[in-house]
């Protein structure tokens, strides 16, 4: 009887602990319900294949690889890349290997890895919020993030935005807060490792890391200024335990970020050179980093669009923004700032500070001012809403008049439910659109039909535009070699035309984007060069999207009469 009673008590205790975290399980379920259906849609994007899928199959099957700047490790006869771009590590390629090994070289295999990362991100955000702001804030933040269309659909295509940087950064913050609360040294080491992996995954994870470090410096300075003469900042024992964990945190960070360091040592500082050149002469895509005010205006507009899950998701087949998100987040920001400043609460002001730091640092770029850069910060509005709702709920519960308190809590709850419903509706409409259209432009599912159409051909392939070669090579498990010939100039150069003429007479298939679908307009120059050389271009296939709009064209160059 005693044992039975003890078992019942344990089960009851477990259920109480599960019930206490009421928001996490529904959040995970909602996220999966939005993230998993039709995971191959939209079509596999070039960056997904280039920065994740293709190196994964080359690592897995030992295919020929051209590592970035020729820098790679060779182990057991296999070439192991360190970076896939000067600011993006090969981490997602390595993590994709088991998924591709089990599911094959498909878009679904690659995206299952990033969806798994999204689940971990949700758990990390919940854990972070629960430790800092309580379970109500954590539950609501997790539910809002799980239905946030920008987060959901960027996670579905996580290699496209390097969402693993966000995953590891949120894990680092959650572990860092756990270490701060418990002073267990192993948590500091794990937090450092996760932050190192986040920075290695994508350099803009530094936006969060820099924000945290500066926040800690400001907090330490304010604490030192407030102390009385002769008073230490912390009890001696607690200070010694905290200080002793710092070397472990640095070691963990080094263990995570070492491939980035090694890459720069072996390449003569390729990442550092890119940053330096972008600061001095602007980026290769034409952004002037000296135009701070102009870049800030652009970034603020992008932040608003990301919050509303608006125009930046057009390629899913339509634009279905949230109607309440921007206003709700601004209101939550005001509430959090007012309460935080009134109480002088560093804890409450931490998330607004991180948001400010991300926006400020995003005005400098080494590429272009793309909304996708804000994937690293998608949990911040969810955390703000969770904080504001929990603080308002706590203030209402402290009121003595029961009827007013109950009415206020009911109104607050209804407002929270309305926000979640608005978010969910936006995400469901995007999901329905992408399942119907298969995505548009460079995200079109027509890439799958192009791959199927080429299966019957054995000729070498030349891609005459960006957005074609990497996917075709990935789908073949790295066995199909696709030459890229287009250049990054706005218009076709003489060198492009000369390179084309040199290939006429050999049995190539040429792939172009259809008119008005090109990244770099080369289709007309290709047809003009063919005609000028005395050949004619035979259109082998036209590949449309689900709406019948032509996306790709396959050509063969012949001599007249052949």
């Amino acid at each position: 009887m005693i044992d039975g009673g003890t078992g019942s008590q344990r089960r009851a205790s477990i259920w109480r602990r599960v019930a206490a975290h009421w928001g996490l399980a529904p959040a995970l379920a909602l996220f999966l319900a939005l993230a998993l259906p039709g995971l191959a849609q939209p079509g596999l994007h070039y960056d997904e294949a280039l920065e994740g899928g293709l190196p994964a199959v080359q690592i897995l099957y030992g295919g020929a690889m051209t590592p970035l700047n020729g820098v790679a490790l060779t182990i057991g006869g296999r070439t192991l890349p360190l970076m896939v771009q000067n600011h993006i590590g090969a981490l997602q390629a390595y993590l994709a290997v088991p998924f591709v090994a089990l599911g094959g070289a498909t878009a679904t295999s690659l995206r299952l890895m990033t969806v798994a990362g999204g689940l971990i991100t949700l758990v990390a955000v919940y854990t972070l919020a629960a430790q800092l702001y309580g379970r109500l804030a954590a539950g609501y933040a997790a539910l809002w993030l799980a239905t946030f269309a920008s987060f959901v659909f960027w996670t579905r295509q996580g290699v496209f935005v390097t969402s693993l940087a966000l995953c590891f950064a949120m894990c680092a913050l959650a572990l860092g807060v756990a270490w701060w609360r418990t002073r267990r040294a192993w948590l500091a080491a794990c937090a450092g490792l996760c932050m190192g992996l986040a920075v290695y995954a994508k350099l803009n994870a530094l936006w969060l890391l820099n924000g945290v470090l500066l926040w800690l410096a400001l907090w330490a300075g304010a604490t030192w200024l407030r102390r009385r003469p002769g008073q230490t900042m912390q009890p001696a024992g607690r200070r010694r335990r905290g200080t002793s964990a710092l070397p472990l945190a640095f070691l963990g960070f080094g263990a995570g970020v070492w491939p980035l360091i090694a890459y720069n040592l072996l390449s003569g500082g390729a990442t550092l050179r890119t940053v330096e050149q972008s600061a001095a002469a602007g980026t290769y895509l034409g952004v002037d980093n000296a135009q701070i005010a102009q870049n800030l205006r652009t970034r603020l507009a992008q932040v608003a669009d990301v919050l509303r899950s608006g125009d930046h998701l057009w390629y899913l087949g339509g634009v279905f923004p949230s109607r309440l998100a921007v206003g709700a987040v601004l209101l939550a920001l005001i509430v959090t700032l007012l309460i935080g400043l009134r109480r002088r609460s560093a804890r409450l002001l931490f998330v607004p500070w991180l948001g400010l730091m991300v926006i400020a640092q995003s005005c400098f770029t080494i590429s272009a001012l793309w909304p996708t850069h804000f994937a690293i910060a998608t949990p911040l509005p969810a955390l703000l809403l969770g904080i504001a709702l929990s603080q308002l709920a706590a203030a209402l519960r402290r009121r003595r008049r029961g009827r007013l308190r109950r009415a206020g809590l009911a109104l607050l709850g209804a407002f929270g439910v309305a926000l979640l419903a608005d978010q969910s509706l936006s995400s469901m409409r995007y999901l329905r659109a992408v399942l119907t259209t298969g995505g548009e432009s460079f995200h079109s599912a027509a890439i799958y039909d192009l791959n199927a159409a080429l299966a019957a051909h054995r000729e070498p392939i030349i891609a005459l535009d960006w957005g074609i070669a990497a996917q075709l090579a990935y789908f073949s498990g790295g066995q199909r070699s696709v030459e890229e010939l287009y250049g990054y100039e706005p218009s076709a150069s003489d060198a492009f035309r000369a390179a084309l003429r040199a290939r006429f007479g050999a049995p190539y298939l040429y792939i172009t984007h259809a008119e008005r679908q090109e990244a770099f307009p080369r289709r007309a120059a290709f047809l003009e060069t063919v005609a000028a050389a005395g050949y004619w271009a035979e259109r082998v296939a036209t590949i449309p999207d689900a709406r019948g709009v032509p996306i790709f064209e396959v050509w063969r160059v012949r001599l007249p009469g052949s």
Side-chain angles (χ1 to χ4, degrees):
M1 293 295 292
I2 294 176
D3 291 341
T6 302
S8 298
Q9 291 172 357
R10 288 176 179 170
R11 286 192 294 273
S13 176
I14 291 171
W15 281 112
R16 279 195 297 270
R17 285 197 293 270
V18 171
H21 300 288
W22 54 271
L24 183 56
L28 297 177
L30 280 170
F31 172 72
L32 290 176
L34 293 168
L36 285 180
L39 193 54
Q41 313 300 327
L44 189 69
H45 187 268
Y46 183 86
D47 288 349
E48 288 183 88
L50 183 69
E51 297 170 2
L54 184 55
V57 295
Q58 290 169 336
I59 292 166
L60 182 62
Y61 303 123
M65 180 186 298
T66 304
L68 184 66
N69 286 319
V71 176
L73 302 179
T74 302
I75 300 176
R78 292 180 185 268
T79 301
L80 303 177
L82 295 177
M83 304 288 287
V84 293
Q85 299 288 344
N86 282 325
H87 62 296
I88 299 175
L91 179 62
Q92 54 199 1
Y94 290 104
L95 292 180
V97 166
F99 292 88
V100 173
L102 291 173
T106 66
T108 299
S109 297
L110 193 58
R111 292 174 181 172
L112 280 173
M113 179 262 293
T114 59
V115 169
L119 287 174
I120 296 171
T121 302
L122 280 170
V123 173
V125 169
Y126 179 90
T127 305
L128 173 65
Q131 293 179 103
L132 289 177
Y133 311 112
R135 290 193 294 267
L136 176 60
Y140 193 82
L143 285 168
W144 197 88
L145 185 60
T147 56
F148 183 22
S150 292
F151 174 74
V152 170
F153 289 95
W154 276 345
T155 302
R156 281 171 66 106
Q157 291 183 276
V159 177
F160 173 52
V161 297
T162 323
S163 64
L164 289 181
L166 168 64
C167 176
F168 283 107
M170 288 298 110
C171 289
L173 292 179
L175 289 165
V177 171
W179 165 74
W180 189 262
R181 288 161 56 91
T182 65
R183 289 302 197 268
R184 294 174 180 170
W186 67 270
L187 289 172
C190 290
L193 174 64
C194 286
M195 188 54 79
L197 289 171
V199 173
Y200 171 50
K202 191 169 187 178
L203 206 60
N204 72 344
L206 285 171
W207 297 349
L208 293 175
L209 176 58
N210 291 337
V212 171
L213 293 177
L214 186 53
W215 181 255
L216 291 175
L218 292 172
W219 174 85
T223 303
W224 184 83
L225 289 173
R226 287 199 305 266
R227 70 186 178 92
R228 293 187 296 273
Q231 180 187 19
T232 59
M233 291 174 61
Q234 298 180 44
R238 186 177 178 88
R239 186 172 66 253
R240 281 194 298 270
R241 283 184 289 155
T243 305
S244 65
L246 289 178
L248 292 176
F250 283 117
L251 285 173
F253 181 80
V257 82
W258 75 263
L260 174 61
I261 297 172
Y263 170 77
N264 277 276
L265 290 174
L266 295 171
S267 65
T271 304
L272 299 176
R273 283 201 311 272
T274 301
V275 173
E276 182 182 3
Q277 290 166 4
S278 299
T283 74
Y284 70 99
L285 290 174
V287 175
D288 184 356
N289 285 303
Q291 298 296 321
I292 298 174
Q294 178 181 327
N295 293 351
L296 179 59
R297 286 194 294 270
T298 300
R299 284 309 202 184
L300 289 174
Q302 289 174 346
V303 167
D305 191 61
V306 170
L307 287 178
R308 64 195 284 269
S309 301
D311 294 338
H312 71 282
L313 295 176
W314 63 272
Y315 58 85
L316 297 176
V319 177
F320 311 101
S322 163
R323 297 179 179 180
L324 304 177
V326 175
V329 171
L330 285 176
L331 184 60
L333 175 61
I334 293 169
V335 168
T336 302
L337 288 174
L338 288 176
I339 297 176
L341 291 171
R342 181 184 175 187
R343 297 180 184 174
R344 297 182 180 179
S345 171
R347 178 173 54 89
L348 291 178
L349 296 175
F350 176 61
V351 172
W353 168 263
L354 278 187
L356 174 64
M357 287 296 293
V358 166
I359 293 171
Q361 293 174 91
S362 72
C363 295
F364 179 91
T365 180
I366 61 173
S367 53
L369 299 176
W370 286 318
T372 50
H373 292 160
F374 289 112
I376 194 68
T378 44
L380 298 184
L383 288 168
L384 270 178
L385 285 166
I387 294 167
L389 286 173
S390 66
Q391 291 297 311
L392 291 174
L396 286 168
R397 291 193 188 100
R398 288 193 293 269
R399 299 188 67 89
R400 293 182 178 180
R401 297 180 61 181
R403 183 176 299 178
L404 182 60
R405 179 177 59 193
R406 288 192 296 271
L409 288 171
L411 183 61
L412 191 64
F415 179 66
V417 170
L419 289 180
L420 291 177
D422 177 58
Q423 287 279 95
S424 300
L425 178 61
S426 172
S427 291
M428 287 189 291
R429 294 176 73 186
Y430 276 118
L431 179 60
R432 183 171 63 244
V434 76
L435 294 180
T436 301
T437 66
E440 297 184 6
S441 186
F442 303 117
H443 299 262
S444 173
I447 190 68
Y448 305 135
D449 296 329
L450 174 64
N451 182 60
L454 292 173
H457 297 275
R458 294 292 176 264
E459 298 99 321
I461 297 170
I462 299 177
L464 296 180
D465 196 9
W466 177 91
I468 299 170
Q471 299 100 305
L472 297 178
Y474 169 63
F475 292 143
S476 72
Q479 302 306 305
R480 176 192 287 148
S481 178
V482 183
E483 181 184 358
E484 291 185 289
L485 179 61
Y486 50 88
Y488 289 91
E489 299 84 5
S491 58
S493 64
D494 292 339
F496 168 78
R497 297 174 188 273
L500 269 179
R501 286 193 296 269
R503 286 160 175 77
F504 294 161
Y508 287 106
L509 287 180
Y510 300 84
I511 304 175
T512 66
H513 278 112
E515 290 184 278
R516 294 181 294 279
Q517 300 295 331
E518 297 170 279
F520 298 95
R522 300 293 183 264
R523 180 181 181 276
F526 163 69
L527 295 176
E528 290 168 4
T529 305
V530 169
Y535 290 81
W536 66 284
E538 174 193 8
R539 186 165 17 213
V540 177
T542 299
I543 311 297
D545 64 11
R547 295 174 174 177
V549 176
I551 301 294
F552 300 105
E553 294 173 326
V554 182
W555 304 85
R556 184 182 287 118
V557 175
R558 295 182 179 276
L559 283 169
S562 63

